[in-house]
């Protein structure tokens, strides 16, 4: 297969009106990645060297998005909506370059398995001119049927055109197909539009190819491979299927998910063996977790790197740039952003660490915050190895706490603290005997007077 050239044409021009969104349908996300990007990735994994995106609605927005997830792909605009065959021909320039195989895919089928595409390509390598990917369902109502004779596919029949006998067929059209590059332009050119909608249907090439004596076959994949997304409910359904697949893969790789159905991964989450994930954890894009970590319940993690044997949560938030080194701990109700927490350091509870370094073995007390933003610029806080920061302290950046430095609880630190120094940054306590009783009596008398005045007013 690696010796056969392949072009993937991904149809992504639809408006997606049922999504009721200003965003082009295929840019709605599954696992943090536009659904069309999932299709591009599947094509690449199936050995497709080149991709052509056929776009229409929101063309400029599509181009900008494609520059990120498919920078090598070409884009072609389908100006008029005249059917799927017409959409494929929008990429005529790319097709004309000559490929062994041409895959035709849809940008709103994000669950396509690369293996299903590879099987279709193998049929072309074995001599077929067209290979259609189908699926079987006990409830085929609404789907086009794959009509086979003697092991060959002779037609794709829409349900409204099926005979009563053909309606009993449960082998249905998934919409995806592979076409031999040598025949694709000729077959597409022969498609007519003498139908109720006056459109050029890609599926017509099956009968055209059969009539020409070309070999046309159907391959079988699961229903999920052909699941198209038309509205938000189907988007959620696809998300659920993707997440279930990924959870299964993760657990088989040696990760413990205590309540799998409550854990949500992103498309690029990397997680090492012997990691334990408790219920209700969300992983956004850009998370890398090494082996043996513990991610406790209700944690929210994105753009973070977590080294081996770290301990996170419960109720922790790691934002982009959080970098936890071996055996670091970020405890409950803590937030870390754009900061390194070095080996063995502890950020235990109710703390915000941003734009900072927490040195190895340092201990950050409850309620500590790095005051890193003045409304215009970000500033850096450097906390040295083995430092101790007492509870409820504010570290006003830019600032350095030296190795072994000790910050007294409740301090506001605005100046650098040298190595092994003790720093206080709080007002001196003053105690006045009996003053508490005097204040209570004064406040009680004032409250009673107010209540009496209010009663007289009514």
């Amino acid at each position: 297969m690696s010796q056969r050239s392949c072009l993937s044409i991904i149809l992504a021009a639809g408006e997606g009106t049922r999504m009721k969104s200003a965003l082009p349908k295929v840019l709605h996300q599954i696992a943090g990645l536009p659904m069309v990007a999932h299709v591009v990735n599947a094509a690449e994994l199936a050995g497709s060297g080149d991709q052509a995106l056929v776009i229409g609605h929101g063309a400029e927005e599509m181009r900008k998005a494609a520059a990120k997830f498919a920078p090598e792909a070409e884009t072609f605009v389908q100006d008029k909506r005249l059917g799927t065959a017409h959409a494929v021909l929008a990429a005529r320039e790319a097709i004309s370059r000559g490929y062994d195989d041409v895959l035709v895919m849809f940008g709103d089928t994000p669950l396509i398995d690369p293996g299903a595409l590879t099987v279709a390509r193998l049929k072309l390598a074995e001599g077929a001119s067209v290979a259609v990917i189908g699926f079987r369902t006990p409830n085929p109502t609404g789907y086009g049927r794959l009509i086979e004779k003697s092991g060959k596919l002779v037609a794709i029949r829409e349900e409204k055109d099926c005979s009563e006998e053909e309606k009993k067929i449960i082998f249905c059209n998934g919409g995806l197909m592979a076409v031999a590059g040598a025949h694709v332009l000729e077959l597409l050119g022969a498609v007519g539009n003498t139908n109720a909608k006056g459109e050029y249907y890609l599926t017509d090439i099956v009968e055209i190819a059969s009539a020409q004596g070309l070999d046309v076959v159907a391959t079988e994949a699961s229903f999920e491979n052909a699941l198209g997304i038309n509205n938000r409910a189907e988007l959620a359904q696809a998300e659920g299927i993707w997440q279930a697949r990924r959870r299964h893969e993760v657990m088989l790789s040696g990760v413990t998910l205590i309540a799998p159905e409550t854990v949500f991964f992103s498309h690029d989450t990397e997680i090492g063996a012997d990691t334990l994930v408790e219920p209700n954890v969300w992983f956004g894009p850009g998370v890398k977790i090494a082996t043996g970590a513990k991610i406790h319940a209700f944690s929210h993690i994105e753009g973070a790197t977590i080294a081996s044997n770290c301990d996170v949560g419960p109720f922790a938030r790691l934002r982009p740039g959080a970098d936890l080194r071996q055996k670091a701990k970020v405890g409950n109700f803590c937030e870390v952003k754009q900061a390194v927490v070095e080996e063995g350091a502890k950020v235990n509870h109710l703390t915000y660490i941003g734009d900072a370094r927490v040195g190895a073995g340092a201990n950050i007390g409850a309620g500590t915050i790095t005051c890193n933003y003045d409304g215009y610029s970000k500033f850096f806080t450097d906390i040295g190895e083995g430092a101790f920061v007492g509870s409820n302290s504010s570290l006003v950046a830019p600032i350095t706490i030296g190795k072994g430095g000790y910050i007294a609880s409740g301090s506001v630190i605005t100046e650098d603290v040298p190595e092994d120094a003790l720093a206080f940054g709080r007002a001196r306590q003053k105690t006045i005997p009996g003053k508490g009783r005097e204040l209570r009596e004064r406040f009680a008398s004032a409250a009673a007077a107010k209540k009496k005045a209010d009663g007289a007013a009514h």
Side-chain angles (χ1 to χ4, degrees):
M1 292 297 295
S2 60
Q3 296 176 351
R4 295 178 63 86
S5 61
C6 181
L7 170 69
S8 290
I9 300 174
I10 300 168
L11 306 185
E15 292 185 32
T17 53
R18 282 179 282 175
M19 296 295 286
K20 300 188 186 306
S21 173
L23 185 71
K25 178 173 73 169
V26 298
L27 293 184
H28 285 263
Q29 296 187 345
I30 302 290
L33 189 70
M35 65 173 86
V36 65
H38 285 275
V39 180
V40 170
N41 290 344
E44 291 178 346
L45 291 171
S48 175
D50 296 323
Q51 291 87 37
L53 295 178
V54 178
I55 60 177
H57 175 67
E60 192 55 38
E61 194 169 4
M62 284 291 300
R63 285 195 181 95
K64 289 180 180 178
K68 296 178 180 179
F69 65 76
E72 302 301 320
E74 291 184 89
T75 56
F76 299 91
V77 177
Q78 182 189 19
D79 293 320
K80 296 180 180 180
R81 302 286 301 283
L82 300 179
T84 48
H86 177 262
V88 175
L89 279 172
R92 180 190 295 271
E93 180 184 339
I95 298 170
S96 299
R97 295 182 190 129
Y99 291 88
D100 294 314
D101 305 335
V102 174
L103 288 172
V104 180
M105 309 165 69
F106 293 87
D108 62 357
T109 56
L111 301 177
I112 179 64
D113 184 347
L117 300 173
T118 299
V119 169
R121 288 191 63 202
L122 283 170
K123 292 299 181 182
L124 299 186
E126 293 168 359
S129 294
V130 181
V132 175
I133 299 175
F135 63 93
R136 296 184 190 274
T137 173
N139 183 22
T141 302
Y143 295 109
R145 309 302 203 276
L146 299 183
I147 312 298
E148 294 181 295
K149 289 183 180 178
S150 303
K152 302 297 181 182
L153 184 65
V154 296
I156 300 175
R157 195 94 72 224
E158 295 303 318
E159 185 175 54
K160 59 183 173 54
D161 299 321
C162 286
S163 66
E164 289 305 311
E165 195 62 29
E166 288 171 339
K167 286 182 180 179
K168 297 177 183 178
I169 296 172
I170 62 171
F171 195 19
C172 300
N173 177 33
L176 308 161
M177 64 174 67
V179 186
H183 300 292
V184 63
L185 286 176
E186 179 186 354
L187 292 173
L188 289 169
V191 174
N193 67 339
T194 54
N195 52 63
K197 289 188 175 181
E199 294 186 352
Y200 299 87
Y201 294 130
L202 179 64
T203 50
D204 287 353
I205 72 170
V206 169
E207 288 188 81
I208 293 169
S210 294
Q212 293 179 4
L214 298 175
D215 194 11
V216 183
V217 297
T219 64
E220 185 175 346
S222 69
F223 167 74
E224 294 172 356
N225 283 269
L227 181 64
I229 310 302
N230 294 301
N231 54 51
R232 307 291 180 125
E234 291 171 350
L235 183 70
Q237 180 187 4
E239 179 78 41
I241 293 169
W242 190 97
Q243 292 292 342
R245 286 179 177 178
R246 185 67 181 126
R247 292 166 189 147
H248 185 70
E249 292 170 356
V250 163
M251 288 187 287
L252 291 184
S253 73
V255 176
T256 297
L257 305 181
I258 292 177
E261 69 281 2
T262 70
V263 176
F264 289 83
F265 294 104
S266 189
H267 65 98
D268 59 353
T269 305
E270 298 178 18
I271 184 166
D274 288 326
T275 292
L276 170 69
V277 183
E278 292 182 357
N280 298 295
V281 174
W282 189 87
F283 296 101
V287 175
K288 296 182 179 180
I289 304 174
T291 59
K294 290 184 175 63
I295 312 298
H296 298 288
F298 293 97
S299 293
H300 186 289
I301 303 171
E302 60 181 317
T305 301
I306 301 172
S308 59
N309 301 307
C310 286
D311 198 296
V312 177
F315 292 95
R317 185 180 182 195
L318 301 185
R319 291 169 58 192
D323 183 356
L324 277 56
R325 306 293 168 83
Q326 290 189 28
K327 296 183 180 179
K329 179 179 180 181
V330 174
N332 49 294
F333 300 100
C334 290
E335 180 176 349
V336 177
K337 175 228 120 186
Q338 203 63 46
V340 175
V341 182
E342 293 188 347
E343 183 173 355
K346 296 179 180 179
V347 182
N348 281 315
H349 31 220
L350 301 162
T351 291
Y352 168 72
I353 300 293
D355 298 281
R357 178 187 75 95
V358 179
N363 188 89
I364 310 300
T368 295
I369 61 171
T370 57
C371 307
N372 59 306
Y373 184 53
D374 64 1
Y376 297 93
S377 301
K378 301 285 186 179
F379 296 99
F380 192 76
T381 299
D382 189 76
I383 301 171
E385 177 183 346
F388 180 93
V389 180
S391 298
N392 201 36
S393 293
S394 298
L395 309 179
V396 183
I399 196 168
T400 297
I401 310 299
K403 178 180 177 180
Y406 197 110
I407 308 301
S409 296
S411 292
V412 177
I413 302 299
T414 59
E415 298 178 1
D416 290 349
V417 178
E419 184 175 317
D420 290 325
L422 168 64
F424 290 81
R426 61 192 185 199
R428 185 175 296 278
Q429 179 175 322
K430 183 177 181 180
T431 303
I432 305 176
K435 190 67 174 179
R437 182 176 63 252
E438 178 188 328
L439 289 174
R440 283 196 300 273
E441 290 172 353
R442 184 196 306 171
F443 295 154
S445 177
K450 183 178 186 301
K451 185 177 181 179
K452 183 177 180 180
D454 290 343
H458 290 85

